[in-house]
Every structure is written in structure tokens, then in C-alpha cells.
């Protein structure tokens, strides 16, 4: 139960962040939030959301969700320029002297967060991540051109992809891995990812489907019938019952008036006219 709650919280964290950036273009095949996949209906590419699969445990799913959020903000969340997505990392790198140091420190903090996964990273993967951070720091030291190169290199997004591949290698079911290995590379889902269409969220927000009639059209409910004043005036009064005078279950009645049985001699009382004291 706790594992399911943790995964649900991680997905809610991703969805909250995605709602802020869903109008932006997809930032390549390593975009932390969005991807372009082929629509099986018409063969065209469409934009979908990336969610965390259920086979990743709660603890590591939370780390992955936070890593995607941080990587997107640092590398992609601001604007496009010359076909390159820019995030806060590029803006921080513009600060003279200390900007690149702060940028490298933020990338190192994300690396430390990646190391907290329960499955571990392994020495080789940790070294690979540190090389990405060092290369990104060295590129950023070059004035102006280095800032463009830093935005294009995206060390945080690269390290995020390494983390996703590690989680898939450890947690993805073997049968699923074998099935995806036989697929074409362009048809395989990205690591540690399941796709969610934007239309799925729209359908969740809609109410229950309308009722349909036999001809295929929507059935419009009929208005409730209200008795006219004349019908209420001409209706004979209900006969009084002996005993307690109630119409409950013990008296053979109910809240709704029982139909009269003609064969047993139960007939409607004739309507009275004139004053109370007059008789015919």
C-alpha cells in the first residue's frame, strides 16, 4: 500500500511540473518530461507525457521524479535559441567568475541525489556522471561561446538518462526487456518511462458519457409531469382509514396510495358538492 502511495505521489509531482511546461516544444530524445512518439492511427508523430513505470520501487521513483524536475528546470525550462533549449543553468553561467562554479555545484548536488537510489549506481556509472559534470564546467569557462556549448551539452539531462537506464536495467521485468530488444530502436520506449497521452487527462476530467437512444442520438430527458389545477380540484379525496388513521405498513398502506381493488368492492367515493350540511 505504501509503495503504491509513493508512486502515486511521484506521478503527481511530475504532472504538476508538466502542466507548467506542456506548451513548450519537446527538447529532443532526452527531454525529462515529454517525448514524440508515432501515432498508431495515422503514423504521424505526436507529443506525449513521460510517466514513471510501476515496476520502479517507491524510494527510487521519488528520486527519479525529483531528478526529472531539477534537470528540466536547469537545462530546458526557459526558451529556445538557435535550436537549443535553455534553462536556469545557462542563465547562472552568465554570472562572471562565480556563475560556472555555482552551475557545477548544482550539477554535483543532483549527482549526490542520484547516488541515493537503493539499487546503487556502481563505480563505473558514478565516474561517467562526474565526467559529464567536469566537461560541462570546462565548456562553460569559455566566454559566451562556452555558455552556448554548456546549454547544448546539458550535463544534468545526460546524468538523468544514465540514471533512467540504470533503473531499467535493475527493475524492468526480463520478459519486457526481451520484448523491447526485438523492437526497432525508434519504436522502443525511452528508459524508465511509460507514455501518457494528453487526451487521457482530458477524458478523466469529463463526466459520465451521455445516454443514447435507439437511433444513435443523445436521449434528452423528458420534463416531469405536473398536474394542472383542474386535475387537482376534480380528484376525489382519499378515503379515511379506521384505526390509528395512519397509512403506514401496519395499516395495509404505504407512503404511496394503494390502488383500489374493484373486485373486492373498493370503489372511489363520489365527489361531494354543496355545503357540508346539505344532503341529496
Amino acid at each position: 500500500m505504501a509503495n503504491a502511495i509513493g508512486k502515486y505521489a511521484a506521478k503527481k509531482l511530475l504532472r504538476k511540473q508538466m502542466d507548467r511546461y506542456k506548451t513548450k516544444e519537446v527538447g529532443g530524445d532526452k527531454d525529462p518530461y515529454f517525448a514524440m512518439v508515432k501515432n498508431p492511427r495515422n503514423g504521424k508523430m505526436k507529443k506525449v507525457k513521460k510517466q514513471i513505470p510501476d515496476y520502479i520501487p517507491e524510494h527510487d521513483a521519488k528520486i527519479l521524479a525529483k531528478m526529472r524536475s531539477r534537470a528540466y528546470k536547469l537545462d530546458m525550462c526557459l526558451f529556445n535559441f538557435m535550436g537549443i533549449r535553455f534553462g536556469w543553468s545557462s542563465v547562472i553561467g552568465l554570472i562572471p567568475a562565480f556563475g560556472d562554479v555555482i552551475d557545477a555545484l548544482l550539477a554535483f548536488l543532483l549527482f549526490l541525489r542520484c547516488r541515493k537510489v537503493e539499487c546503487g549506481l556502481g563505480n563505473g556509472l558514478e565516474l561517467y556522471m562526474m565526467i559529464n559534470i567536469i566537461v560541462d564546467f570546462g565548456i562553460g569557462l569559455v566566454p559566451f561561446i562556452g555558455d552556448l556549448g554548456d546549454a547544448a551539452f546539458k550535463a544534468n539531462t545526460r546524468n538523468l538518462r544514465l540514471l533512467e537506464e540504470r533503473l531499467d536495467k535493475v527493475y524492468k521485468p526480463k520478459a519486457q526487456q526481451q520484448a523491447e530488444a526485438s523492437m526497432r530502436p525508434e519504436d522502443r520506449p525511452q528508459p524508465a518511462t511509460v507514455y501518457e497521452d494528453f487526451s487521457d487527462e482530458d477524458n478523466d476530467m469529463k463526466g459520465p458519457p451521455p445516454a443514447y437512444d435507439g437511433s444513435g442520438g443523445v436521449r434528452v430527458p423528458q420534463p416531469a409531469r405536473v398536474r394542472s389545477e383542474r386535475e387537482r380540484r376534480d380528484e376525489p379525496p382519499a378515503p379515511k382509514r379506521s384505526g390509528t388513521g395512519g397509512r403506514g405498513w401496519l395499516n395495509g398502506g404505504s407512503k404511496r396510495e394503494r390502488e383500489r381493488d374493484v373486485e373486492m368492492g373498493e370503489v372511489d367515493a363520489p365527489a361531494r358538492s354543496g355545503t357540508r350540511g346539505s344532503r341529496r
Side-chain angles (χ1 to χ4, degrees):
M1 183 65 179
N3 192 20
I5 294 176
K7 293 177 183 178
Y8 176 77
K11 292 180 180 180
K12 291 291 288 185
L13 174 63
L14 280 182
R15 175 169 292 183
K16 182 179 179 180
Q17 295 294 330
M18 280 189 250
D19 290 340
R20 300 173 58 184
Y21 307 115
K22 63 183 181 181
T23 58
K24 295 183 178 293
E25 298 178 358
V26 178
D29 62 339
K30 294 183 176 62
D31 190 313
Y33 282 158
F34 307 106
M36 296 296 295
V37 299
K38 183 180 294 185
N39 190 337
R41 296 181 179 179
N42 52 25
K44 297 181 179 180
M45 303 300 291
K46 65 176 181 178
K47 181 181 178 182
V48 294
K49 295 182 290 188
K50 298 170 61 175
Q51 294 290 354
I52 297 175
D54 292 335
Y55 55 76
I56 298 179
E58 172 190 356
H59 180 269
D60 293 355
K62 289 182 178 180
I63 292 178
L64 177 57
K66 292 180 180 179
M67 277 294 299
R68 286 181 174 177
S69 174
R70 301 297 189 274
Y72 193 89
K73 289 179 179 179
L74 289 175
D75 291 345
M76 297 187 179
C77 74
L78 294 181
F79 56 88
N80 290 359
F81 179 69
M82 298 176 60
I84 301 175
R85 294 287 296 273
F86 285 78
W88 287 109
S89 177
S90 302
V91 176
I92 294 173
L94 294 175
I95 302 175
F98 296 102
D100 295 315
V101 176
I102 297 174
D103 184 25
L105 179 60
L106 292 174
F108 182 73
L109 292 176
L110 292 185
F111 164 72
L112 295 180
R113 184 183 293 274
C114 291
R115 294 184 63 190
K116 294 181 181 180
V117 292
E118 293 179 342
C119 62
L121 296 178
N123 295 332
L125 189 57
E126 291 183 3
L127 178 61
Y128 199 173
M129 288 184 173
M130 284 301 303
I131 291 176
N132 286 335
I133 296 174
I134 294 173
V135 171
D136 186 76
F137 175 72
I139 294 174
L141 293 177
V142 180
F144 185 70
I145 298 178
D147 295 323
L148 294 177
D150 183 23
F153 187 75
K154 294 180 173 43
N156 302 296
T157 305
R158 289 175 179 267
N159 287 345
L160 170 63
R161 176 50 56 89
L162 294 176
L163 174 64
E164 292 172 338
E165 292 175 349
R166 172 63 178 173
L167 295 177
D168 253 13
K169 182 178 180 181
V170 175
Y171 296 121
K172 180 178 286 189
K174 298 299 182 182
Q176 188 174 348
Q177 294 186 28
Q178 295 175 359
E180 293 178 359
S182 60
M183 300 170 61
R184 296 182 301 177
E186 60 271 17
D187 294 335
R188 296 173 190 167
Q190 296 182 12
T193 297
V194 290
Y195 298 133
E196 179 181 351
D197 200 343
F198 282 98
S199 59
D200 296 338
E201 182 178 352
D202 296 337
N203 292 333
D204 293 340
M205 297 176 63
K206 296 179 181 178
Y212 291 90
D213 57 17
S215 61
V218 179
R219 185 174 66 242
V220 180
Q222 298 294 329
R225 183 179 182 275
V226 180
R227 292 181 300 171
S228 65
E229 182 66 25
R230 181 177 179 180
E231 289 176 331
R232 290 196 297 268
R233 187 176 62 251
D234 296 341
E235 182 180 8
K240 294 183 179 180
R241 300 180 182 274
S242 60
T244 59
R247 294 190 300 172
W249 177 75
L250 293 176
N251 292 317
S254 63
K255 293 183 179 180
R256 184 176 296 179
E257 183 179 354
R258 182 169 58 88
E259 295 183 359
R260 298 175 178 83
D261 192 344
V262 180
E263 296 179 357
M264 297 296 296
E266 295 180 0
V267 296
D268 294 336
R272 297 179 181 180
S273 61
T275 61
R276 183 177 179 180
S278 64
R279 295 185 179 178
R280 294 184 179 180

